[in-house]
Amino acid sequence: MMILKRDFLKLFALSFFVFYSQFLVAQNLNKVQVDAKYKKNFKSLVSKKSIKADLEFIQSDSELSNKELIALNEIPAPPFEEDNRGLAFKKLLETYGVDTAWIDAAGNVIGLLKGTDDRYVAIDAHLDTVFPIDTDVSVQFLGDTLYAPGIGDDTRGLAVVLSVLRTVKQSKLKPTSNLYFIGSVGEEGLGDLSGVKYIFSNQGIKVDSWISVDGGGLGRITNKALGSLRYRVTFKGSGGHSWGNFGIVNPHHALGAAIQKFVIAADEYTKEGPKTSYNIGRIGGGTSVNSVPFASWMEVDMRSVDPIRLNKMDEILRAAVTEALKEQNDIKRSGRELEVELLEIGNRPSGELPENLPLVQNALAVLDYFDIDPSLSRGSTNANIPISMGIPAITIGRGGVGGGAHSLNEWWLDKEGYKAVQFAYLILMMEAGF
Ligand SMILES: [Zn+2]
């Protein structure tokens, strides 16, 4: 049968349509969905005269906010040494009119603004930075760009929290729920989210909805927590002379074997399935080339989107360490046996909250209104803890532009930074009701 030209065109058009509609389906699957109900709710909120005035207030508040950013940044605050910055932050919370402010047993600074119902909505940024106490944290200017370790991560987050507080206080709208304004401790490195872990422990406060301000892009909302496990593994022996004591067990030899066994098994396991990673970031020990060392240690970081896979990585590490220990003890010719210690130095749970959660939808509706392309992401922030417990929590961006986080060249520029404050304020009001 001959195919007519017209039929051919039809066929072509049809197959193109099939191809294109599949493409659309694929696109839709990846595209973040904002429910019409939330869009409508938000539209009615943002059209209120008083909200418009609040958004203008936020823009005019930038100057004061940037001054605070600089002042807070110049108070050093490594994990476990946030006291001075915490006191300064508490004083600012009091100045701007929270009903009460206190420092909890972990060192978190908490300001409470009372509402009229029994719900508690928290907005948080972390007080600590990754930099040791003697780091020069004074702020340098290059044009309008601010340079200083910690200026973005997360001192800018603290500035956003304070600006939101001022906005709430001057607004004609009164939030229904109670609001917490929080500067938390121990987010970074070995702090291991200790501040937020305390807040969500039995000794902590009641929180129904949690918003962390800690991250880059304005469009990114973190509703998934990347879990991690970190260990310091130390092989310990008697140590001795490399010739005179030859034959005693050598901790470095055991560490080397443990690394090899771990990497081979971990590589095999992580090749497939939900993303899981591993890294040995530091190794050390030993005194001289002609000494059998007393100790040999490594620091291991393992991460996974899936808590079950993280547990499996934990097993793989333990098995590698146990086997290496046994092997080396088996070839010992004299002296006492090696011992090994696994010290947990980090444990951040993973988890995720559904896209249709009201808090997530409220945040998406705000972005949608401002025509910012939203994305839902996975991160390792304070929100990990509530997310892992199923408590509504997200992390949102600090706004402006910046870079070099966790480096001495960190910078931040107030390019439409007010938008992040407006965004944070609006999500908070949507959550709290008024
Ligand atoms: Zn941070």
Side-chain angles (χ1 to χ4, degrees), residues 131-263:
F131 305 99
I133 197 90
D134 53 359
T135 308
D136 179 4
V137 286
S138 62
V139 179
Q140 313 293 325
F141 298 84
L142 210 77
D144 288 335
T145 306
L146 308 180
Y147 280 86
I151 192 81
D153 184 11
D154 192 24
T155 319
R156 163 64 185 169
L158 295 172
V160 170
V161 170
L162 291 168
S163 189
V164 168
L165 169 61
R166 283 191 290 274
T167 311
V168 174
K169 285 296 287 188
Q170 61 78 54
S171 177
K172 287 208 175 81
L173 299 169
K174 293 295 154 231
T176 312
S177 295
N178 304 283
L179 301 181
Y180 281 130
F181 296 86
I182 298 177
S184 51
V185 295
E187 194 271 347
E188 299 282 7
L190 296 182
D192 197 33
L193 309 183
S194 57
V196 78
K197 279 178 181 169
Y198 183 83
I199 287 174
F200 286 94
S201 73
N202 290 337
Q203 297 104 292
I205 50 178
K206 174 182 181 279
V207 176
D208 297 288
S209 189
W210 176 273
I211 302 159
S212 278
V213 185
D214 184 12
L218 207 54
R220 216 171 81 176
I221 297 161
T222 305
N223 65 325
K224 303 182 234 344
L226 176 62
S228 64
L229 258 180
R230 292 169 185 171
Y231 285 104
R232 177 181 259 251
V233 179
T234 311
F235 288 95
K236 294 173 189 169
S238 56
H241 195 277
S242 64
W243 175 256
N245 298 107
F246 178 66
I248 64 170
V249 213
N250 185 317
H252 279 343
H253 299 182
L255 186 80
I259 290 175
Q260 198 204 14
K261 287 172 194 298
F262 171 65
V263 169

Side-chain angles (χ1 to χ4, degrees), residues 244-313:
N245 298 107
F246 178 66
I248 64 170
V249 213
N250 185 317
H252 279 343
H253 299 182
L255 186 80
I259 290 175
Q260 198 204 14
K261 287 172 194 298
F262 171 65
V263 169
I264 289 171
D267 171 65
E268 194 53 42
Y269 182 66
T270 56
K271 265 184 203 154
E272 285 170 359
K275 186 169 177 181
T276 303
S277 72
Y278 57 91
N279 181 61
I280 293 164
R282 298 177 71 210
I283 58 177
T287 46
S288 74
V289 68
N290 56 345
S291 302
V292 179
F294 294 95
S296 184
W297 56 265
M298 64 173 164
E299 285 176 0
V300 189
D301 172 56
M302 303 177 284
R303 303 180 182 219
S304 182
V305 299
D306 179 351
I308 293 168
R309 285 176 66 76
L310 202 52
N311 282 344
K312 179 69 191 168
M313 289 298 287

Side-chain angles (χ1 to χ4, degrees), residues 53-63 163 167 414 418-419 421-422:
D54 294 345
L55 297 186
E56 278 168 26
F57 169 83
I58 289 171
Q59 248 177 296
S60 69
D61 192 53
S62 295
E63 207 183 307
S163 189
T167 311
D414 185 6
Y418 65 88
K419 282 190 177 170
V421 185
Q422 291 178 336

